[in-house]
């Protein structure tokens, strides 16, 4: 008897949509322990139970194969997400000479370098590459500089991707200044494929590094900028902010990017793509988009931030439907923040307000500023719309002076969440959320009132910037700290924290304690896809369990009849 053919593979599910920054905690179904190998005893089993030897061998082999495939099937989900981070319509930038300057020093770990490689491939796919459009060159550096391919080498995207995938890191020092000099004198030369200066084709260099340069960069970067090279400086993890600012073109807030890990470098890719794509049509019309207008040829359309959907009017964005909380923001107004950064903090607060359903029945927002003293800027019950809250935030005046974080926590516990200030009664079970924003060490003790806030049932989040102390942030925040503590090394790069805060402050109904909270507005299609896939894997596990039980029964029957 011939063994039955293996089942036909299921149709591959459609990949999730692009631009979803979600990360999922996938739990593998309970592992099944395979019984003893059967093929060695197949002849005896077939004689007693009248089963073909090849059938038993095939069943046992299939069982082992399916066990090994379960983790593989789960791992296949993540590459789709990584590859699609920069997916989207290709924008026509016009003629452009673009050179990537990639740090491949020994501090860049192999898996980090692989992430950077995937980032380059994804960014290439968003560019209009061609001899008369965007020409691309890549150089890598450590203690020396190596040209991966010059601007004149390739006119097809596929050839560029092949060269990038074959790239082997140099794994030595970090001579960033030497790399900038090479880009200026060699990579952007006409001999290497750059178009002559009289053609007035923009020259753009993107420097990606993860450490402090071992040589001087300010002078050579200034020379490169003087020659008309626009420099973007992208720092990852251990990168030195001062060096990034010394390299980049002005304005620095548009040319300096600092991300916490190589996994987050995709965010720079999206912003860089947005800078290259023309948006002239949106600038010339009254588009009315609540969040952002995107030009497409001779038309335009409105888009919403990650996790919010465009409404039927084509202009406004959805709010977090289940995000009904009493939210008090404690903002550090000490002198170390400085006035220009305090304005960035106010803009960041308003970006948080943007994704909340602010109303008397929905989310209520209060704001407290602290330095050497504490001042309630507006209580929970004062404003009933997001527009009113945002206007009040912009009107807040910077206090300066010291950093009395403990005093601010006490004020929040004793006053901000009182019914007199607009908090809803406890019997209504409206979540109370406190968000502390600080840039340095507290000058008073925070332990007592940080603990008291959590005892009072307030869910605490801590956002640190610059010289904020991690131990203090963790002491302020609720458990687990990984979900309630956020940090940004610089005020200009705080926006990447919004996704974490949005997913946490907007609670979803039916989620129990200890589970990561996600916005109900976020990445519905990917969640649905993930659920279907896990359901299929669970079904497969059940079938494996049945197969294992059947094989064990056969073994037991054999042992009984001996």
């Amino acid at each position: 008897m011939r063994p039955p053919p293996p089942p036909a593979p299921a149709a591959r599910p459609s990949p999730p949509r692009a631009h979803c920054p979600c990360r999922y905690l996938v739990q593998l179904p309970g592992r099944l322990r395979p019984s003893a190998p059967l093929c060695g005893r197949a002849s005896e089993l077939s004689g007693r139970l009248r089963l073909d030897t090849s059938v038993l061998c095939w069943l046992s082999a299939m069982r082992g194969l399916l066990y090994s495939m379960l983790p593989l099937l789960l791992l296949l989900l993540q590459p789709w997400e990584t590859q699609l981070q920069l997916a989207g319509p290709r924008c026509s930038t016009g003629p452009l000479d673009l050179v990537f300057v990639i740090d491949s020093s020994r501090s860049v770990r192999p898996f980090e370098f692989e992430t950077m490689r995937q980032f380059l491939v994804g960014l290439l796919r968003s560019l209009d590459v061609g001899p008369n459009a965007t020409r691309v060159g890549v150089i890598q550096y450590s203690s020396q500089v190596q040209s991966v391919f010059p601007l004149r080498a390739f006119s097809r995207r596929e050839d560029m991707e092949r060269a990038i995938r074959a790239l082997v890191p140099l794994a030595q020092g970090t001579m960033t200044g030497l790399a900038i000099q090479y880009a200026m004198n060699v990579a952007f030369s006409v001999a290497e494929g750059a178009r002559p200066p009289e053609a007035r084709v923009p020259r753009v260099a993107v420097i990606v590094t993860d450490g402090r340069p071992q040589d001087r960069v300010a002078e050579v970067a200034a020379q490169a900028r003087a020659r008309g090279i626009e420099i973007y400086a992208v720092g990852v993890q251990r990168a030195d902010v001062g060096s990034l600012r010394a390299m980049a073109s002005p304005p620095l807030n548009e040319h300096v990017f600092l991300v916490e890990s190589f996994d987050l470098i995709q965010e720079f890719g999206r912003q860089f793509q947005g800078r290259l794509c023309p948006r002239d049509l949106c600038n010339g019309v009254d588009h009315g988009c609540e969040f952002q207008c995107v030009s497409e040829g001779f038309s335009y359309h409105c888009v919403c931030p990650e996790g919010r959907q465009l409404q039927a009017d084509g202009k406004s964005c959805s709010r977090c439907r289940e995000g009904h909380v009493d939210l008090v923001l404690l903002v550090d107004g000490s002198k170390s923040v400085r006035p220009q950064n305090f304005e960035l903090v106010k803009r960041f607060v308003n970006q948080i307000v943007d994704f909340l359903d602010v109303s008397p029945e929905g989310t209520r927002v209060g704001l407290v500023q602290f330095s050497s003293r504490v001042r309630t800027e507006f209580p929970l019950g004062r404003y009933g719309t997001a527009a009113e809250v945002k206007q009040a935030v912009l009107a807040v005046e910077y206090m300066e002076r010291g950093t009395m974080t403990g005093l601010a926590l006490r004020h929040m516990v004793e006053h901000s969440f009182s019914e007199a200030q607009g908090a809803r009664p406890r019997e209504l079970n409206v979540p109370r959320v406190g968000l502390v924003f600080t840039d340095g060490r507290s000058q008073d003790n925070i332990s007592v009132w940080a603990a008291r806030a959590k005892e009072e049932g307030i869910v605490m989040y801590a956002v640190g910037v610059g010289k904020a102390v991690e131990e203090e942030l963790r002491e302020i925040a609720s458990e687990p700290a990984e979900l309630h503590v956020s940090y940004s090394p610089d005020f200009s790069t705080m926006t990447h924290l919004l996704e974490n805060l949005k997913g946490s402050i907007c609670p979803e109904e039916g989620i129990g304690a200890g589970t990561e909270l996600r916005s109900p507005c976020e990445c519905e299609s990917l969640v649905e896809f993930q659920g279907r896939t896990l359901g299929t894997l669970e079904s497969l596990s059940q079938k494996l369990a049945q197969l294992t039980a059947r094989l064990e029964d056969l073994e037991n029957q054999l042992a009984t009849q001996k």
Side-chain angles (χ1 to χ4, degrees):
M1 180 174 65
R2 294 174 62 87
R12 182 175 178 177
S14 301
R17 69 186 180 204
H19 302 306
C20 282
C22 308
R23 295 290 184 269
Y24 296 95
L25 188 62
V26 180
Q27 182 178 1
L28 190 67
R31 292 187 178 275
L32 305 174
R33 297 184 178 274
S35 57
L38 294 180
C39 288
R41 303 165 64 187
S43 297
E44 188 174 4
L45 280 168
S46 63
R48 294 181 178 274
L49 303 176
R50 298 180 180 179
L51 293 175
D52 191 286
T53 303
S54 60
V55 174
L56 288 172
C57 290
W58 180 82
L59 288 172
S60 182
M62 284 300 295
R63 179 182 60 179
L65 177 62
L66 290 172
Y67 287 137
S68 64
M69 284 175 62
L70 277 173
L72 177 61
L73 289 171
L74 288 172
L75 288 175
L76 286 175
L77 298 177
Q78 190 164 355
W80 286 339
E81 182 184 348
T82 303
Q83 293 168 8
L84 289 172
Q85 290 289 336
L86 295 180
R90 216 169 275 143
C91 67
S92 178
T93 61
L96 176 70
D97 290 341
L98 175 62
V99 173
F100 291 98
V101 183
I102 304 302
D103 180 354
S104 65
S105 58
R106 68 174 64 93
S107 62
V108 181
R109 302 178 183 90
F111 70 91
E112 295 174 338
F113 192 83
E114 183 60 31
T115 301
M116 185 155 56
R117 190 199 312 272
Q118 295 299 327
F119 156 73
L120 287 177
V121 170
L123 191 54
L124 276 177
R125 292 176 181 175
S126 70
L127 299 175
D128 182 19
V129 173
N132 300 317
T134 300
R135 297 183 186 180
V136 179
V138 177
I139 64 178
Q140 67 166 335
Y141 72 93
S142 57
S143 297
Q144 56 185 323
V145 182
Q146 179 189 78
S147 175
V148 180
F149 57 85
L151 289 166
R152 59 176 164 78
F154 303 122
S155 59
R156 296 192 321 134
R157 188 176 295 100
E158 295 78 9
D159 297 328
M160 296 178 187
E161 290 184 14
R162 192 176 300 111
I164 290 173
R165 295 188 190 282
L167 182 60
V168 177
L170 299 173
Q172 297 173 10
T174 311
M175 304 294 285
T176 311
L178 183 65
I180 297 174
Q181 187 173 31
Y182 181 93
M184 176 177 62
N185 295 332
V186 180
F188 281 109
S189 66
V190 175
E192 291 288 283
R195 279 156 282 201
E198 56 268 24
R200 297 185 179 276
V201 173
R203 296 180 173 183
V204 176
V206 177
I207 303 171
V208 183
T209 181
D210 83 322
R212 182 186 296 273
Q214 295 174 335
D215 56 355
R216 296 183 178 180
V217 297
E219 184 177 347
V220 67
Q223 294 174 3
R225 296 193 299 268
R227 292 194 190 182
I229 300 173
E230 184 180 7
I231 300 178
Y232 288 84
V234 184
V236 184
Q237 286 182 328
R238 303 166 288 274
D240 177 58
V241 177
S243 299
L244 297 177
R245 297 172 68 87
M247 291 186 285
S249 297
L252 295 180
N253 64 330
E254 294 183 4
H255 291 83
V256 175
F257 295 84
L258 188 62
V259 295
E260 290 180 333
S261 70
F262 281 88
D263 291 337
L264 298 174
I265 200 171
Q266 312 287 358
E267 177 61 28
F268 163 74
R270 285 193 289 272
Q271 295 188 39
F272 180 69
Q273 181 183 355
R275 304 227 187 279
L276 295 182
C277 294
R279 298 177 185 272
D280 295 340
L281 187 60
C282 287
N283 293 333
V285 298
D286 183 14
H287 52 74
C289 296
E290 177 184 342
F291 180 70
Q292 187 177 13
C293 172
V294 176
S295 297
E296 275 189 349
F298 296 101
S299 64
Y300 68 89
H301 67 274
C302 300
V303 297
C304 294
E306 297 283 350
R308 294 173 59 191
Q309 296 179 345
L310 192 67
Q311 297 297 283
D313 62 5
K315 297 180 179 180
S316 60
C317 302
S318 64
R319 308 287 172 181
C320 295
R321 293 178 297 273
E322 305 301 335
H324 296 173
V325 300
D326 286 344
L327 172 64
V328 174
L329 300 133
L330 271 62
V331 176
D332 185 348
S334 61
K335 61 184 177 182
S336 62
V337 175
R338 294 182 294 182
Q340 64 270 29
N341 289 331
F342 191 73
E343 293 303 312
L344 294 177
V345 172
K346 293 197 293 185
R347 186 188 310 172
F348 181 80
V349 168
N350 277 346
Q351 287 176 308
I352 295 176
V353 175
D354 276 336
F355 64 72
L356 299 173
D357 178 21
V358 178
S359 68
E361 297 76 26
T363 295
R364 299 183 184 181
V365 179
L367 180 65
V368 174
Q369 184 183 177
F370 65 94
S371 59
S372 298
R373 57 192 179 88
V374 181
R375 182 172 73 202
T376 297
E377 302 294 350
F378 54 87
L380 284 168
R382 178 167 298 175
Y383 300 117
T385 68
E388 292 174 333
V389 171
K390 291 172 67 174
Q391 185 176 0
V393 170
L394 293 177
V396 171
E397 295 183 358
Y398 178 40
M399 294 175 68
E400 298 193 39
R401 300 190 180 180
T403 311
M404 304 293 283
T405 313
L407 185 64
L409 291 170
R410 177 176 181 174
H411 180 90
M412 179 194 69
V413 172
E414 292 185 339
H415 302 287
S416 299
F417 283 107
S418 66
E419 293 184 34
Q421 294 270 303
R424 281 163 282 199
R426 291 186 179 278
E427 54 266 24
L428 295 180
N429 292 321
V430 175
R432 295 183 172 184
V433 177
L435 193 155
V436 179
F437 189 101
T438 182
D439 83 322
R441 183 183 296 275
S442 176
Q443 295 174 338
D444 61 350
N445 185 278
I446 65 170
S447 301
V448 173
W449 290 101
R452 179 73 176 275
K454 285 168 272 192
E455 290 171 3
E456 292 290 325
I458 303 171
V459 180
M460 295 297 300
Y461 293 85
V463 178
V465 180
K467 296 182 180 179
V469 180
E470 181 181 0
E471 292 78 7
E472 288 190 356
L473 297 177
R474 288 179 170 269
E475 189 168 8
I476 292 170
S478 297
E479 294 291 340
E482 291 72 20
L483 298 181
H484 296 83
V485 174
S486 300
Y487 175 79
S488 177
D490 188 73
F491 284 90
S492 62
T493 59
M494 293 184 297
T495 54
H496 75 272
L497 304 178
L498 284 170
E499 288 302 320
N500 293 337
L501 292 173
K502 177 175 63 179
S504 301
I505 294 175
C506 295
E508 187 170 280
E509 285 187 334
I511 295 181
T515 304
E516 181 177 2
L517 297 177
R518 289 285 182 187
S519 168
C521 321
E522 187 175 12
C523 300
E524 292 89 347
S525 63
L526 183 53
V527 173
E528 182 181 353
F529 162 75
Q530 185 91 7
R532 288 200 309 267
T533 305
L534 292 178
T536 302
L537 291 176
E538 184 177 357
S539 175
L540 180 60
S541 297
Q542 293 174 354
K543 292 179 180 179
L544 284 173
Q546 295 172 0
L547 176 61
T548 300
R550 176 59 178 160
L551 291 174
E552 289 177 347
D553 287 343
L554 294 176
E555 287 183 308
N556 293 335
Q557 291 181 40
L558 176 63
T560 302
Q561 294 179 19
K562 275 189 172 180

